[in-house]
Each structure stands twice: as C-alpha cells, then as structure tokens.
Amino acid sequence: MAPSSTTTAADEHRLLATEIVNRGTDTFSVRVRRRLPLPDFVNSVNLKYVKLGYHYLINHAIYLATIPVLVLVFSAEVGSLSREEIWNKLWDYDLVTVLASFGVFVFTLCLYFMSRPRPIYLLDFACYKPTDDFKVSKEEFIEMARQSGKFDQETLDFKRRILDSSGIGNETYVPKSIMSTQNIATMKEGREEASTVIFGALDELFEKTRIRPKDVGVLVVNCSIFNPTPSLSAMIINHYKMRGNILSYNLGGMGCSASVIALDLARDMLQANPNNFAVVVSTEMVGFNWYPGCNRSMLIPNCFFRMGCSAVLLSNRRRDFPRAKYRLEHVVRTHKGADDRSFRSVHQEEDERGFKGLKVSRELVEIGGDALKTNITTLGPLVLPVSEQLLFFSTLVKRHLFGGPRKENSNNNNSTMIINNGSSNNSTSSSNSKPYIPDYKLAFEHFCVHAASKMVLDELQRNLELSDTNMEPSRMTLHRFGNTSSSSIWYELAYLEAKGRIHSGDRIWQLAFGSGFKCNSAVWKAIKRIKKPSSRNPWLSSIDRYPVTL
C-alpha cells in the first residue's frame, strides 16, 4: 500500500469511536461513530470576518495612517525650495499667523493624545493552589465516586475511560464535598468552596502587589454556575471591607471563556474612570456543579473540572508602567449564540431523574472550531506581520473570486456507520485552491489556550500548526491542575513565568472558549523580563518535573 493510502487509513481510524450498546447475556452490538474534529481552517475561511478584522484595524490606526501623508506633502512642498526661499517665506508671515498656526498644531496634538485610549497595565496576578488535602489521583477520584454510592459500575467504568484519555494527571484538586452521600449542590457548600478559592487568590494578589483592597475602584467577578444572592462580588466586598463607591460586576453563565469577557469589561470601566485599579476574579465551583446521575453526556464535566481561581490586578495609571508586567494590546470576542446548535452545545438542564448538570453535545468540538475560526480570522489583521497579511488576503480574495472546493456532505457524521471491506473514495481539494493560512507563530511568542481536554488541544495544534512547545503551557496545566474553567489561561501564564520564558517585548495570546458558544482572545505584550517566578507561583514546587510526556 502506498504511504498516502496508509496515512489516509490512519487518519480515518483516528476519527472513529466505538461504543458497546444493547448488551445482553450472550450477545452485544457495537456502534461505530465518527468523531467530529475541528473544521479544516484551510478550506473554510470566511471573507467577512477578515473584513471585520481590518475594520477594527482601520478604526484604531486612522491617526497613524494620516501622519505619513502629511509628512510627504510637507516634504514635497519644502523640498523644492532653496534655503534662502524658505527664510523669505517664513519672514513673509506676520506674528499673528505664526501664533495661530502654532496654536492649531498644539490643539490638534493635545486632541490626539486625549482621544487615545488609556493604556491598560497588568501589575500582577495570582492563581490559587489548594492545599494537599484536596489533592486526588485519578484512581482516588474513581474510588471517591464509588464510595458516594451514586454511580453504578458501568458509570464508574465510563468515568475511568474518560479520565485515562483526558490528559489529566494525578495531582489535581477537588472539593471534599463530592465524597458526600448526601446532596452536595447546596448554597452552604457552594459558598464554602467559593470562599476558599476566591479569598485564597485575592489574599495572594494583595500581598504580591501591596495594594490595599480599599484602593480598588473596579471589581469584576465571573463564575458560570454558582450565582448566589448576595453575589460573589458582594461577598468579596464584605470580606475585604472595600469602599462604598466601588464599581462591582458579577458575571454568571458565561462559561470557560468568561475571564476574557470580564477582562474586556474591566478595560472599558478603566477607560471611563481614570487613575483607578481593577481586579478581575475568575473561578468555577466544582462541588456545586457535581452531577450525581448516570447520563453520560452530563458526566463528562465531572471528569474534567477541578478547583481553581485566578485574580488579576489591572491599572490605567501611566505612573504604574515601571512596575507593570504586561500591557493589554487587543481583546477580540466572538459569539455564536444566534445558532441553535451552538447555543445548546453546552446546556445546563435536568436529566430524566431530575438531577441537574451540564449536558455536553457530541458536536462540541466541531462547534468550538467554527467559533475559533471566526475569532482568529478577525484577530489576524490586528496582530499579523504585513507580509503574512498580504499573502493571506491575496490568496483569500483569489479563492473568493474564482471559487473554491465544494464542501463535503457531513450530514451523516453523527449517525451510526457501517464498516465494510470496500474501498472509500476520499476527495481531496487541490492545493492551489486553498487559501494561505497565516503563521500565527510570527505574531506571538507564547500561547495560552484554554486547557479544556487533550482531544481539543490536539485538534487546535493540528489546525493552527503549532509546535509542542507552543502547546506546552496548556497541556501541562491540564495535566497538573485539570480544567479549571475560566481561570485556566492564567495558570498557563503562570507556567510560562515559572519556566522563565517571558522576555521584554514578548507577545502572549490567551485564547478561551465556552458555552454560548463563545470564543474570546486577549493579547498581551510583556513590558519587562520575568526573571524568576514569585514565591507564591502555583507551579513553584513542581515546575522542575515539567514538561512531562502525556
């Protein structure tokens, strides 16, 4: 068999998943399903999102674009004159004209600087590391689920298979409440877990930055599932006795991408309120979201989500530049909620027994890939070098004008497949009909991709053509801390700092996605080199053991 045929067969085998159904005493049936990978970005780039990215770029760069034009016009005018003619022209103007022209110039310059958005600095951040009594291995996790008495053996076996292929290691953290034989989704248990992780992260943040809680002018908290009354933001204000005129916001139901949404809100608040600090807290309550039933699509979050919380301190004060670590460059948000399939891909509901949980669609990876494609296509014009943009845009326009490959029929992707010995006709598109996909490694030195699962990270790496080093922070965070929901991108940045990889001028891309369906990006630029991690870095005690082979 030719190598190309071998590769095709291997790829086809990788996309198939088997499941035993209709198990009887002596017989059983095997159902073979096709896994849904991310869409092929090479053949599915939408021109309108490229236009949207250039629209953002033009809006932010209009002033800079006019400066070269003015310089060229002035140079052309002055360049044709001799020195004597220039002096004569200057003496021809009276004092009033000169002063008026100078006043207009100063006024225009002041107007330009006043209209520019204030720079947003990240002074520092903290990621909560639970104590060792919350730590569980994968085997201990299964045993805890067995001791709770809520799951039958078939369900426990399913959980074990998910954990074995998840990319999660043996040192993640879960709340003790999940071991309880009683109902653990209570307000008391939720508040106790929230107090543990949130106050732990904030105590560390205030200690590292030496900022008093009363100095904080904006507080944004995001937690998707647990939203008590009073809110989590009110709980923080009460605990730290923050000032009465603080601008506080509590975001709920926003999923794993909520940290970037909260960051965007904090940025807008800082733009409108000068000389202020903003704190962004991102977390999720694992125990409150624990599903005690046997619906397999609702058991998956049990296997992946772990305890975690991040707290970030932002400033819009220019005098904080010397002490800041990063400057916020861009935030790009994508929302696919208008599509019903995307809207229901991650859905909180009750099962047939009335147990509440998160139902995860089989099409989640495909849906997430579509949102990701839109987001990075919009982000490209803001961050990519000019050479990459020209290559990408020219080939995309060519494909748009002269047509591209036809989309394959994928209506049967979710249906049961019949496997026979016959050969399949796999149509491949011509290489000259594919648009040029930019190399995002030229735009960023570091990548912090939400650590959702091993399969999702594998598909992202393949589609974006990232190296193992690029994906290392995400994979190692998934292995060491599990999926900590919206805070995972900060554990990944803490990993890069612990490894000493952040240098002055480095650009970091934080990419997160979650229910809704949403995909959001934040771009940071390092102001200084992070020579060594802080004494409270969550990776400090284990960084020498990483990276590990998964």
Side-chain angles (χ1 to χ4, degrees):
M1 183 178 292
S4 59
S5 301
T6 305
T7 304
T8 302
D11 292 340
E12 182 70 18
H13 177 73
R14 182 174 59 84
L15 295 177
L16 300 180
T18 59
E19 179 184 359
I20 298 178
V21 296
N22 300 328
R23 185 192 298 271
T25 306
D26 300 319
T27 62
F28 61 89
S29 303
V30 177
R31 176 183 295 161
V32 181
R33 294 181 180 273
R34 178 181 290 273
R35 293 192 182 99
L36 294 175
L38 293 180
D40 187 0
F41 291 177
V42 172
N43 291 316
S44 59
V45 176
N46 197 321
L47 184 60
K48 71 176 181 180
Y49 297 118
V50 181
K51 291 164 60 179
L52 181 61
Y54 280 102
H55 174 70
Y56 290 160
L57 179 65
I58 292 171
N59 281 350
H60 288 82
I62 188 65
Y63 293 107
L64 295 178
T66 58
I67 291 176
V69 176
L70 295 176
V71 171
L72 287 174
V73 172
F74 179 78
S75 301
E77 179 68 23
V78 175
S80 61
L81 302 175
S82 64
R83 183 179 301 178
E84 291 78 9
E85 290 174 328
I86 293 175
W87 278 108
N88 291 334
K89 279 185 173 292
L90 289 175
W91 284 110
D92 287 341
Y93 293 108
D94 56 18
L95 182 60
V96 175
T97 304
V98 173
L99 291 177
S101 301
F102 182 74
V104 171
F105 173 75
V106 172
F107 175 77
T108 305
L109 197 64
C110 292
L111 186 64
Y112 165 69
F113 282 105
M114 290 175 64
S115 63
R116 290 180 61 192
R118 294 175 177 273
I120 304 300
Y121 301 116
L122 190 156
L123 302 188
D124 214 330
F125 67 98
C127 297
Y128 176 67
K129 180 185 176 184
T131 55
D132 287 346
D133 54 331
F134 292 101
K135 187 183 295 185
V136 295
S137 65
K138 289 185 283 190
E139 191 60 40
E140 290 171 338
F141 182 85
I142 296 297
E143 186 59 31
M144 289 166 57
R146 178 181 286 108
Q147 291 177 1
S148 69
K150 299 174 181 177
F151 308 102
D152 55 28
Q153 187 59 45
E154 186 176 356
T155 300
L156 293 172
D157 292 340
F158 172 76
K159 283 191 169 188
R160 188 186 301 276
R161 291 196 300 271
I162 292 293
L163 283 174
D164 289 342
S165 61
S166 65
I168 295 176
N170 289 312
E171 293 185 299
T172 57
Y173 304 92
V174 297
K176 296 179 181 179
S177 59
I178 69 172
M179 294 182 288
S180 172
T181 57
Q182 306 298 322
N183 178 27
I184 60 174
T186 64
M187 297 302 294
K188 179 181 178 181
E189 295 290 352
R191 287 187 182 276
E192 183 177 344
E193 183 182 349
S195 299
T196 300
V197 298
I198 292 176
F199 297 156
L202 285 172
D203 287 346
E204 179 184 341
L205 179 69
F206 291 136
E207 178 186 336
K208 291 165 67 173
T209 59
R210 298 180 181 178
I211 296 295
R212 299 180 307 165
K214 286 185 177 295
D215 294 332
V216 177
V218 180
L219 173 65
V220 184
V221 182
N222 67 266
C223 181
S224 187
I225 297 297
F226 183 61
N227 292 284
T229 300
S231 64
L232 294 177
S233 60
M235 183 183 75
I236 295 172
I237 293 171
N238 174 262
H239 179 81
Y240 290 101
K241 309 304 178 187
M242 292 179 165
R243 66 196 199 194
N245 64 342
I246 187 172
L247 302 174
S248 66
Y249 302 89
N250 201 93
L251 306 181
M254 305 297 283
C256 298
S257 65
S259 185
V260 179
I261 299 174
L263 185 70
D264 190 27
L265 176 58
R267 179 188 64 170
D268 290 344
M269 292 300 102
L270 287 176
Q271 293 293 352
N273 297 273
N275 299 317
N276 248 312
F277 293 113
V279 169
V280 176
V281 178
S282 302
T283 188
E284 191 57 80
M285 300 303 110
V286 177
F288 194 79
N289 192 39
W290 182 258
Y291 171 65
C294 296
N295 187 313
R296 294 194 173 185
S297 63
M298 301 172 78
L299 283 168
I300 294 175
N302 281 13
C303 300
F304 283 97
F305 285 106
R306 297 293 187 267
M307 291 178 70
C309 179
S310 66
V312 181
L313 180 64
L314 305 174
S315 172
N316 60 5
R317 307 189 309 177
R318 298 185 187 275
R319 63 178 178 272
D320 286 329
F321 173 80
R323 60 182 295 202
K325 284 186 173 182
Y326 308 96
R327 183 177 64 245
L328 182 61
E329 298 287 305
H330 306 287
V331 174
V332 174
R333 294 168 55 182
T334 300
H335 204 305
K336 292 290 186 177
D339 175 64
D340 290 341
R341 193 175 63 138
S342 298
F343 175 72
R344 301 192 65 86
S345 60
V346 181
H347 205 262
Q348 188 179 21
E349 57 186 56
E350 291 83 15
D351 65 6
E352 58 277 2
R353 298 169 60 188
F355 292 133
K356 183 173 61 177
L358 282 179
K359 187 173 184 179
V360 179
S361 169
R362 292 180 180 273
E363 303 172 322
L364 180 63
V365 177
E366 181 189 18
I367 291 168
D370 183 56
L372 172 65
K373 176 189 66 178
T374 302
N375 188 266
I376 66 174
T377 307
T378 307
L379 178 67
L382 301 175
V383 297
L384 288 168
V386 175
S387 58
E388 288 293 299
Q389 293 192 44
L390 291 175
L391 285 171
F392 172 63
F393 192 69
S394 61
T395 53
L396 185 62
V397 170
K398 178 181 177 182
R399 177 173 176 266
H400 180 71
L401 294 177
F402 298 102
R406 292 178 297 177
K407 294 182 179 180
E408 296 180 359
N409 186 5
S410 57
N411 293 332
N412 296 325
N413 280 351
N414 291 327
S415 60
T416 301
M417 298 176 58
I418 300 176
I419 307 298
N420 55 40
N421 295 327
S423 59
S424 59
N425 297 324
N426 296 321
S427 61
T428 58
S429 58
S430 175
S431 59
N432 58 10
S433 65
K434 297 178 179 179
Y436 175 76
I437 298 303
D439 185 0
Y440 281 88
K441 296 188 292 294
L442 297 177
F444 305 106
E445 282 73 33
H446 308 288
F447 297 79
C448 296
V449 181
H450 170 51
S453 69
K454 183 178 183 297
M455 183 181 70
V456 170
L457 295 179
D458 288 344
E459 291 293 335
L460 281 169
Q461 180 177 6
R462 180 178 66 85
N463 274 274
L464 295 179
E465 298 181 354
L466 301 179
S467 66
D468 291 337
T469 302
N470 296 143
M471 298 298 295
E472 183 181 317
S474 301
R475 294 188 189 282
M476 297 308 106
T477 296
L478 180 64
H479 182 271
R480 178 63 181 86
F481 293 98
N483 182 345
T484 60
S485 189
S486 57
S487 63
S488 67
I489 55 178
W490 298 104
Y491 285 87
E492 294 162 17
L493 185 56
Y495 178 87
L496 291 169
E497 290 189 356
K499 281 292 185 180
R501 296 179 182 174
I502 302 295
H503 294 80
S504 177
D506 283 359
R507 296 154 298 178
I508 302 98
W509 182 15
Q510 289 183 320
L511 177 64
F513 34 87
S515 60
F517 194 88
K518 299 179 287 292
C519 182
N520 303 312
S521 292
V523 178
W524 300 90
K525 187 172 183 178
I527 295 175
K528 59 186 177 183
R529 180 185 177 186
I530 311 299
K531 296 182 180 179
K532 61 178 181 179
S534 67
S535 59
R536 301 288 296 275
N537 188 295
W539 292 91
L540 205 59
S541 62
S542 57
I543 193 63
D544 293 337
R545 295 188 277 113
Y546 285 91
V548 298
T549 303
L550 301 181

